[in-house]
Amino acid sequence: MRAFTASALVLILAACSPAAEPAKTEAEPVAPAVAPSQLGAIDLTQPIRAAGTEPFWTIDIADGVLTYRDIEDFGGDITTPRTGPAAPVVTGDTAVYAVTLSDGKTLTLTLTATECPDIGEETRALTASLAIPGTMTQEACADARSAYPPEA
């Protein structure tokens, strides 16, 4: 009888205790990663310009589009702008834009948050490195587009 009483007592106590919650099998939702929008003091969501010399070239980035111009554009040999989608991969103090332009040319623009001595006595907020396959990498400076004089 004692065994029966002990068994009944265990069953009664088990019925009175709260039910265990089922184990969660779904992963907790993770917030999507947000790309950093600052590189040093430069807001990457605002227009940016990188400009190099010998050979002369410019890259303007605005509204998610990169526009590349070189000596052929300045001489009138190219009639349409060469553009491509621009979404940087930001790591620490570096932003990398790997772009395929509308003419099929690929380029990689790397911006680094270090001051860059530009032509004359100007100092730009970013150092730029332009790599185009089949040519050498070219070093230059970059800054917010508003830091450059307006074009004539």
Side-chain angles (χ1 to χ4, degrees):
M1 179 83 174
R2 252 187 198 173
F4 175 74
T5 305
S7 296
L9 185 58
V10 168
L11 288 174
I12 293 171
L13 288 175
C16 293
S17 56
E21 289 190 31
K24 291 185 180 182
T25 57
E26 294 181 29
E28 293 292 321
V30 177
V34 176
S37 63
Q38 283 290 124
L39 185 62
I42 300 299
D43 181 353
L44 296 176
T45 65
Q46 297 301 308
I48 297 170
R49 171 167 278 186
T53 58
E54 297 182 30
F56 290 100
W57 57 269
T58 62
I59 290 179
D60 287 304
I61 303 168
D63 299 323
V65 176
L66 180 145
T67 302
Y68 170 76
R69 294 183 299 174
D70 65 8
I71 196 69
E72 293 174 346
D73 297 278
F74 300 126
D77 297 335
I78 304 293
T79 57
T80 59
R82 290 176 279 177
T83 62
V89 174
V90 180
T91 307
D93 64 349
T94 303
V96 177
Y97 295 84
V99 179
T100 299
L101 298 173
S102 52
D103 67 353
K105 182 182 282 189
T106 60
L107 61 81
T108 302
L109 177 68
T110 303
L111 302 176
T112 307
T114 55
E115 288 186 346
C116 181
D118 204 359
I119 297 173
E121 295 182 21
E122 295 288 333
T123 299
R124 302 293 176 195
L126 305 173
T127 298
S129 177
L130 174 63
I132 300 174
T135 66
M136 60 187 279
T137 299
Q138 301 169 19
E139 303 300 320
C141 298
D143 210 330
R145 179 64 184 96
S146 60
Y148 288 89
E151 293 179 280

